[in-house]
Amino acid sequence: MKNLLHDRKIWAKPGKKHHVSDFDTEYTADFIKKNDALDKLDKNLEEMIQMQDKLYADSRYSLLLVFQAMDAAGKDGTIKHVMSGVNPQGTQVFSFKTPTATELDHDYLWRIYKRLPERGNIGIFNRSHYEEVLVVKVHPEFLLRQQLPDAKNLNSINDNFWMQRYHQINNFEKHLSENGTVILKFFLNVSKEEQKKRFLKRIDDPARNWKFSANDVKERSFWNAYMQAYSEMLTHTSTDYAPWFVIPADNKWFMRYAVSNIIINRLKELNLEYPTLPPAEMAGLEQARQMLMEEK
Ligand code: ATP
Ligand code: MG
């Protein structure tokens, strides 16, 4: 299995300038067609289950998976698929929506901090603190609601302001990583044409109508501004301790495969093992065995 962790077609190498258009939305690595990947995907899901079990038993690390994407790129489906089979006891999914009044009364990382996974657990963020440099950057008027001393009006929101935000996010993630949170960030990169096809499908198919919101088409009209914001996000916040992966999203089967490949290869680097008991407790096990065997 090709390790996609450092595949330059997917991995936004830290310290480099990136643009979304440098990444191919149709890339499929070594696979030519869907069927070639399906067996491998099944194997990956099996392996995920075993690795999660070890992560939980080891209880030193937590794994944070961040998902960001344009609408209809397939966040929900990918999360559902990649996590299928893993023990629900060790996973938490959280979807971040428009901040509430209470959330706006705190700094933007407050609500994020509260949802971080516990040691041994996998936490999945469906949208995240990155909305703060994506939707908020495309619509800076959202910032005024945050009542920030440095952003009293739209004129005061300049490049420095955003650089400071990237810096804050990097510091936050560095702190987490130094304290045992392993962070992987996925930008599901769908093309504008493919998004249109998927929207039309949602409109045409009654079973998919519920997934469609008229606002999604409005946001689509800001496509270029979003791509610019994503590009700057990749350039400034892909780091060794919390790298971004630009997952080609036009082929859903490859998107799922690629995400599972990256998670597994990263978990392998942790060399997780089931804890071994200290000698005194091992002796206790032997005693317990004897008691059980001697039962009448
Ligand atoms: P999704 O589109 O992720 O499948 P959904 O359709 O269930 O989710 P929406 O209400 O459409 O729910 O999505 C959440 C909305 O909240 C998005 O438009 C997103 O940009 C917005 N949002 C999330 N975080 C923030 C934030 N920090 N500031 C402003 N808007 C935010
Ligand atoms: Mg939506």
Side-chain angles (χ1 to χ4, degrees):
M1 167 172 98
K2 184 176 180 185
N3 183 340
L4 300 179
L5 260 185
H6 294 117
D7 184 328
R8 290 292 297 274
K9 294 228 152 68
I10 293 182
W11 174 49
K13 191 171 189 228
K16 298 260 173 221
K17 193 169 186 330
H18 295 285
H19 198 277
V20 172
S21 60
D22 299 335
F23 294 89
D24 179 0
T25 58
E26 290 181 307
Y27 176 65
T28 56
D30 295 338
F31 302 111
I32 297 165
K33 53 187 192 313
K34 182 175 177 176
N35 280 349
D36 303 338
L38 293 186
D39 275 358
K40 299 252 166 41
L41 181 57
D42 281 348
K43 277 207 198 88
N44 280 1
L45 298 185
E46 281 293 316
E47 210 171 337
M48 281 275 296
I49 294 170
Q50 286 165 15
M51 299 199 88
Q52 184 208 10
D53 206 47
K54 279 190 186 167
L55 185 80
Y56 192 80
D58 180 72
S59 195
R60 248 171 326 140
Y61 296 102
S62 59
L63 176 64
L64 175 64
L65 308 174
V66 171
F67 288 89
Q68 287 292 159
M70 296 297 283
D71 285 304
K75 275 185 287 117
D76 293 12
T78 304
I79 291 168
K80 187 158 89 181
H81 211 266
V82 173
M83 290 297 133
S84 57
V86 301
N87 185 353
Q89 182 131 259
T91 49
Q92 301 137 234
V93 184
F94 195 79
S95 302
F96 290 96
K97 309 278 182 190
T98 310
T100 63
T102 309
E103 287 168 348
L104 286 170
D105 279 339
H106 295 266
D107 78 281
Y108 64 92
L109 293 174
W110 180 73
R111 65 173 184 161
I112 308 295
Y113 218 103
K114 292 199 295 184
R115 304 295 179 175
L116 290 170
E118 297 157 25
R119 276 182 219 289
N121 282 28
I122 301 179
I124 297 157
F125 283 179
N126 182 347
R127 303 185 186 271
S128 65
H129 44 303
Y130 282 97
E131 292 290 324
E132 293 290 337
V133 291
L134 294 168
V135 67
V136 177
K137 197 171 186 187
V138 173
H139 303 286
E141 62 278 11
F142 287 172
L143 262 184
L144 303 180
R145 296 188 306 209
Q146 297 187 12
Q147 311 259 57
L148 296 170
D150 286 353
K152 289 206 185 80
N153 52 53
L154 289 179
N155 293 332
S156 54
I157 305 164
N158 53 22
D159 283 354
N160 274 345
F161 176 86
W162 297 111
M163 285 309 294
Q164 195 179 30
R165 257 198 181 184
Y166 297 130
H167 189 64
Q168 290 161 355
I169 290 175
N170 288 340
N171 282 341
F172 169 65
E173 293 178 350
K174 185 154 194 281
H175 168 81
L176 295 179
S177 111
E178 286 172 352
N179 285 279
T181 304
V182 175
I183 307 171
L184 297 172
K185 302 181 295 203
F186 301 100
F187 163 44
L188 308 183
N189 185 24
V190 73
S191 67
K192 199 174 178 193
E193 303 79 73
E194 181 64 25
Q195 189 199 50
K196 183 175 181 173
K197 274 192 214 157
R198 292 186 191 171
F199 278 169
L200 288 172
K201 211 166 170 181
R202 288 179 178 188
I203 293 168
D204 293 339
D205 177 358
R208 293 176 203 261
N209 283 172
W210 65 275
K211 288 191 193 172
F212 187 78
S213 129
N215 194 53
D216 294 351
V217 176
K218 203 187 118 228
E219 283 313 290
R220 178 181 163 83
S221 68
F222 295 99
W223 187 273
N224 291 344
Y226 271 106
M227 292 307 115
Q228 191 55 34
Y230 272 108
S231 301
E232 278 154 25
M233 173 197 84
L234 295 173
T235 300
H236 298 295
T237 65
S238 192
T239 56
D240 291 326
Y241 46 87
W244 272 109
F245 298 92
V246 185
I247 306 291
D250 284 1
N251 295 297
K252 286 185 179 173
W253 57 270
F254 183 73
M255 167 163 60
R256 291 165 186 177
Y257 171 78
V259 170
S260 68
N261 177 304
I262 289 163
I263 298 171
I264 288 168
N265 281 304
R266 180 68 185 94
L267 286 177
K268 276 188 183 156
E269 293 179 345
L270 302 178
N271 295 317
L272 297 169
E273 292 298 341
Y274 289 110
T276 46
L277 295 181
E281 285 181 45
M282 283 298 252
L285 285 187
E286 267 319 307
Q287 250 179 350
R289 184 209 304 279
Q290 272 187 5
M291 279 169 73
L292 287 167
M293 299 310 281
E294 285 164 13
E295 259 180 18
K296 296 234 168 59

